[in-house]
Amino acid sequence: MSQLPESNAVNVAALSAVFADTTNSYKYYWFLAILDSLRDNSNPRISMHDLSLRMLASVWYPLDYFKLSFGSRDSFKPIANFVSQHLVVDNGPNAVPLLSQLSALPTTEQVKLQRLVKKLINWVPYRFIRPMFALEARGLHDPKVNALVIASANASTRAPYRFEGDSIVIHDLWLQYLQQHQAILRGFTCWHLVRFLQKNNPNVTGLTEKLEKPGLRDLAAANGFWKSYLHAHSELTCIYSGQLVTATNLSLDHFLPWSFVAHDQLWNIIPTPKSINSAKNNLLPSLERYFEPFAQLQFDAFQFHAAKGHSKLLEDYHLLFAKDLATIQKMAYSQFREEIHRQVVPRLQTAQNLGFTYPFEYNLASKVPSLSQ
């Protein structure tokens, strides 16, 4: 989606130019925050502090939860880190939005957060519409740009908004345009955002799934896959803890964290007790300790279902190995292990480079997770 809806009332070309040659993510999140605010209450007067919090609530998921890189010029990282240090974010399906969770922080943390957010307010609202006044701002030093942008925005409707105190006010014609084309404008902005993220995360897959809070996932196939295997293998033990896996304590763990892979393909899912799954969370497992039992369990489960003719259930392996299921079924364990090792190790290395913690090891003595030094 590379074009904005046309309009005879507002300067669409000027808005489109804002996103040209973008080297910083703030433009996308500022505009999305404006769209969010108009969607929620339709009030043309919007507090810049509120918009900054909306930006933060949106950027936290790709930046901290999914650990994407926003490039060397990123200004959000310190604020996202502050949120993670002072708030246990509830990502449950019935949880209140992160914006509401931020607003519920204790007063002392609210004050600290406001100080950090103020740094965004000092430049983001003005830099966003600066391209609309490129001729006027040419040659000006940064300290003078804000004053020029304020004066220019308040004297015309070339930009979508003007400034009043600590708020922006959307011009009437722009308000109609933004409300009428809300969905298209959001898609346009997210399309450009994904392109920006691709440049900074060339080895990361599933970027479109990592722009916002994860939604409800359908694990019905994975549940059926492992429950039927468990029914025939009542002695199954957890590869991390050695504990017996039962129908009562069964939980599905993503060997490579879901927050990295952003999919539920069966080759990456193994059964563990619920407590172990919670302990591992989004940590990267030690390959030295756990890859061999992981690969062996995957091999055994594949062969179990292949022998029963569950070809539709095994499509994930066909996609991973780029081989037909009959060929995979004929593999010796050593070849299967080599194939899955070739797929897992580069992905794990990419996740580690993004900041996912490695290595997770379950401490059998104390029954708690530990991280090797």
Side-chain angles (χ1 to χ4, degrees):
M1 187 176 294
S2 57
Q3 291 187 331
L4 290 171
E6 296 181 358
S7 172
N8 294 323
V10 298
N11 191 344
V12 176
L15 178 60
S16 183
V18 167
F19 298 99
D21 301 319
T22 302
T23 59
N24 196 302
S25 64
Y26 74 84
K27 290 183 178 180
Y28 309 114
Y29 286 103
W30 177 253
F31 191 53
L32 287 172
I34 291 174
L35 293 176
D36 287 345
S37 181
L38 293 178
R39 177 198 62 201
D40 292 345
N41 53 48
S42 300
N43 190 342
R45 183 184 181 93
I46 313 172
S47 159
M48 287 188 280
H49 177 75
D50 176 72
L51 288 174
S52 296
L53 286 180
R54 288 180 180 272
M55 290 173 69
L56 177 55
S58 295
V59 81
W60 184 86
Y61 283 100
L63 190 57
D64 195 279
Y65 182 81
F66 293 110
K67 304 190 186 305
L68 298 181
S69 171
F70 279 36
S72 59
R73 302 181 66 178
D74 171 43
S75 301
F76 285 116
K77 187 64 175 175
I79 310 178
N81 287 342
F82 176 88
V83 171
S84 298
Q85 292 165 7
H86 294 84
L87 176 66
V88 179
V89 177
D90 185 351
N91 294 313
N94 299 317
V96 298
L98 180 52
L99 180 63
S100 300
Q101 296 183 50
L102 291 173
S103 300
L105 280 169
T107 303
T108 53
E109 276 71 30
Q110 284 279 1
V111 171
K112 294 175 183 177
L113 182 60
Q114 287 175 11
R115 289 176 188 155
L116 292 172
V117 167
K118 192 175 188 303
K119 295 179 181 179
L120 294 176
I121 298 174
N122 287 340
W123 56 276
V124 169
Y126 316 101
R127 295 303 188 271
F128 179 78
I129 58 175
R130 177 178 179 173
M132 298 179 176
F133 307 105
L135 292 177
E136 295 90 331
R138 182 177 297 171
L140 281 183
H141 295 296
D142 276 352
K144 296 183 178 180
V145 170
N146 285 8
L148 179 138
V149 169
I150 292 172
S152 300
N154 289 356
S156 72
T157 59
R158 195 187 315 175
Y161 53 80
R162 65 181 186 273
F163 297 90
E164 287 188 6
D166 60 358
S167 300
I168 65 168
V169 179
I170 310 296
H171 294 297
D172 289 342
L173 293 176
W174 276 103
L175 180 63
Q176 295 174 23
Y177 178 80
L178 297 179
Q179 290 178 326
Q180 180 181 355
H181 302 293
Q182 169 90 216
I184 297 176
L185 294 171
R186 188 177 300 277
F188 172 88
T189 308
C190 289
W191 183 80
H192 279 277
L193 175 57
V194 169
R195 294 187 67 195
F196 169 84
L197 291 173
Q198 285 174 335
K199 294 178 182 178
N200 291 288
N201 303 270
N203 297 317
V204 177
T205 59
L207 287 175
T208 57
E209 303 294 326
K210 298 178 179 180
L211 298 183
E212 57 190 9
K213 174 185 173 179
L216 287 173
R217 308 204 306 274
D218 184 2
L219 290 170
N223 266 308
F225 182 92
W226 285 111
K227 282 183 177 179
S228 60
Y229 181 84
L230 179 60
H231 182 74
H233 299 80
S234 58
E235 76 288 355
L236 180 65
T237 57
C238 170
I239 71 165
Y240 304 119
S241 67
Q243 296 177 20
L244 191 67
V245 179
T246 68
T248 303
N249 70 10
L250 173 66
S251 179
L252 300 179
D253 170 65
H254 291 70
F255 190 70
L256 298 176
W258 184 90
S259 54
F260 170 67
V261 297
H263 66 64
D264 297 308
Q265 294 180 19
L266 293 175
W267 63 264
N268 187 52
I269 295 178
I270 55 173
T272 65
K274 295 172 184 177
S275 60
I276 308 302
N277 196 358
S278 297
K280 178 174 173 283
N281 198 4
N282 67 343
L283 305 177
L284 296 168
S286 167
L287 290 180
E288 183 179 355
R289 285 189 62 174
Y290 302 125
F291 179 76
E292 200 66 45
F294 164 76
Q296 184 67 63
L297 180 56
Q298 282 288 334
F299 177 77
D300 292 345
F302 177 90
Q303 293 295 341
F304 171 80
H305 285 285
K308 291 184 173 296
H310 298 163
S311 56
K312 186 176 181 180
L313 199 57
L314 298 173
E315 278 298 307
D316 290 347
Y317 296 89
H318 161 66
L319 295 174
L320 180 72
F321 289 7
K323 292 179 171 62
D324 62 75
L325 296 178
T327 300
I328 301 173
Q329 188 176 9
K330 293 176 183 177
M331 287 181 180
Y333 168 67
S334 58
Q335 185 181 359
F336 183 96
R337 178 198 181 281
E338 181 180 348
E339 290 280 352
I340 206 165
H341 186 273
R342 185 164 54 85
Q343 299 291 341
V344 166
V345 172
R347 287 172 167 84
L348 186 142
Q349 185 61 59
T350 298
Q352 191 176 355
N353 292 342
L354 288 172
F356 285 86
T357 302
Y358 179 85
F360 162 81
E361 294 184 355
Y362 189 77
N363 188 323
L364 293 177
S366 59
K367 304 296 184 185
V368 296
S370 64
L371 296 175
S372 298
Q373 301 299 318

